[in-house]
């Protein structure tokens, strides 16, 4: 079983996907963490976010492991390092590079097929698993997303003001939506969940109900 959760930055995909996966008895695969780890590795190796054949080979050769709450890059736990605003910007820049996306495709498909999975990202329902059993497009207003992201950053001991975080989120949405390969967009058969005025529990309930409906339809 494959459940795809796509949506813009800070919509709550991570937390909702984790809780949804628990409720459905699935594993959760954070594909954004893969892009973040790749950006970190490529930056460390001196690559710029440009489409060069060496970059795809570099990406496919990386040893990337994701557990329910950690990400390992060649054995090193990089879970905290990939969560800074700078890492977000860099992830989005490298994610726009076609050879980077190509390099991560096989890994995402392999992980998704290894067990019943909830995968969250930007292009899971449109490109990685267009035949997913259920698809959700989780969004919220930019202001609400900025508030949530600010709270997450504060919890990590990172600073920044609301207007700064809002500007970052809007810039990243713009970049993710306007790239040529696998842009962020709602799949035609995805259910839209707007979490602007929902609590976390409310968002999980709405996603769970939408998934159950799609699974029931698939069984008919
Ligand atoms: O948590 P947040 O929504 O801020 O970001 P994320 O899901 O960790 O993704 C970080 C960046 O990776 C995004 O801004 C996208 O550019 C990229 N990404 C992608 O292109 N495709 C995916 N399936 C997942 C992430």
């Amino acid at each position: 079983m494959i459940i795809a959760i796509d949506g813009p930055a800070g919509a709550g995909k991570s937390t909702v996907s984790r809780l949804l996966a628990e409720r459905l008895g699935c594993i959760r695969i954070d594909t954004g963490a893969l892009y973040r780890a790749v950006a970190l590795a490529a930056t460390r190796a001196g690559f710029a976010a440009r489409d060069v054949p060496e970059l795809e080979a570099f990406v496919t050769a990386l040893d990337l492991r994701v557990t329910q709450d950690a990400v390992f890059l060649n054995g090193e736990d990089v879970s905290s390092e990939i969560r800074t605003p700078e890492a977000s910007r860099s992830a989005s820049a490298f994610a726009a590079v076609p050879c980077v996306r190509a390099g991560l495709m096989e890994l995402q498909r392999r992980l998704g097929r290894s067990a019943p999975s909830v995968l969250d990202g930007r292009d899971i329902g449109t490109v990685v698993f267009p035949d997913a059993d259920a698809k959700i497009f989780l969004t919220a207003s930019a202001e609400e997303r900025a508030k949530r992201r600010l709270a997450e950053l504060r919890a990590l001991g990172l600073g920044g003001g609301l207007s700064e975080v809002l500007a970052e989120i809007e810039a990243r949405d713009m970049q993710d939506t306007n790239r040529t390969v696998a842009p962020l967009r709602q799949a035609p058969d995805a259910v839209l969940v707007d979490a602007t005025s929902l609590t976390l529990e409310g968002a999980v309930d709405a996603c769970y109900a939408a998934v159950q409906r799609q699974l029931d339809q698939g069984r008919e």
Side-chain angles (χ1 to χ4, degrees):
M1 180 167 74
I2 303 277
I3 312 292
I5 314 266
D6 292 306
K13 291 188 304 296
S14 300
T15 317
V16 168
S17 301
R18 189 157 13 89
L19 295 172
L20 188 65
E22 264 171 34
R23 218 192 263 191
L24 291 164
C26 294
I27 60 165
R28 180 236 168 179
I29 300 166
D30 177 358
T31 66
L34 296 175
Y35 281 95
R36 287 168 181 271
V38 162
L40 176 65
T43 305
R44 282 180 181 173
F47 283 103
R50 247 182 274 117
D51 203 29
V52 287
E54 304 84 70
L55 187 53
E56 180 168 352
F58 175 79
V59 171
T60 44
L62 291 172
D63 175 16
L64 291 170
R65 281 165 216 265
V66 278
T67 66
Q68 294 305 291
D69 40 28
V71 190
F72 295 88
L73 169 63
N74 298 329
E76 175 192 351
D77 184 350
V78 294
S79 314
S80 313
E81 206 173 330
I82 59 168
R83 296 291 158 199
T84 63
E86 195 191 340
S88 301
R89 268 195 303 276
S90 173
S92 182
F94 277 96
V97 179
C99 68
V100 170
R101 307 201 71 81
L104 276 178
M105 183 68 83
E106 206 35 54
L107 174 61
Q108 294 175 86
R109 290 190 172 146
R110 186 153 32 84
L111 290 172
R113 289 190 188 117
S114 67
S117 306
V118 173
L119 294 103
D120 64 290
R122 299 291 185 288
D123 63 336
I124 306 304
T126 50
V127 177
V128 183
F129 286 110
D131 297 328
D133 300 280
K135 299 181 186 178
I136 306 278
F137 194 80
L138 183 65
T139 189
S141 72
E143 288 72 21
E144 191 55 39
R145 291 187 285 120
K147 279 190 210 154
R148 291 176 192 174
R149 183 46 50 96
L150 184 62
E152 284 171 13
L153 290 172
R154 294 252 160 94
L156 294 173
L158 298 169
L162 185 61
S163 55
E164 199 182 317
V165 175
L166 177 62
E168 288 261 4
I169 277 192
E170 286 178 331
R172 195 143 59 89
D173 286 352
M174 180 91 88
Q175 174 149 276
D176 290 346
T177 307
N178 292 311
R179 67 186 175 213
T180 44
V181 202
L184 167 66
R185 65 179 170 80
Q186 183 180 344
D189 52 349
V191 173
L192 178 71
V193 174
D194 186 334
T196 307
S197 50
L198 296 177
T199 59
L200 174 59
E201 292 73 31
V204 177
D205 286 346
C207 291
Y208 183 77
V211 166
Q212 290 299 353
R213 258 196 329 271
Q214 292 179 76
L215 293 179
D216 287 346
Q217 276 162 12
R219 284 187 202 107
E220 273 166 17

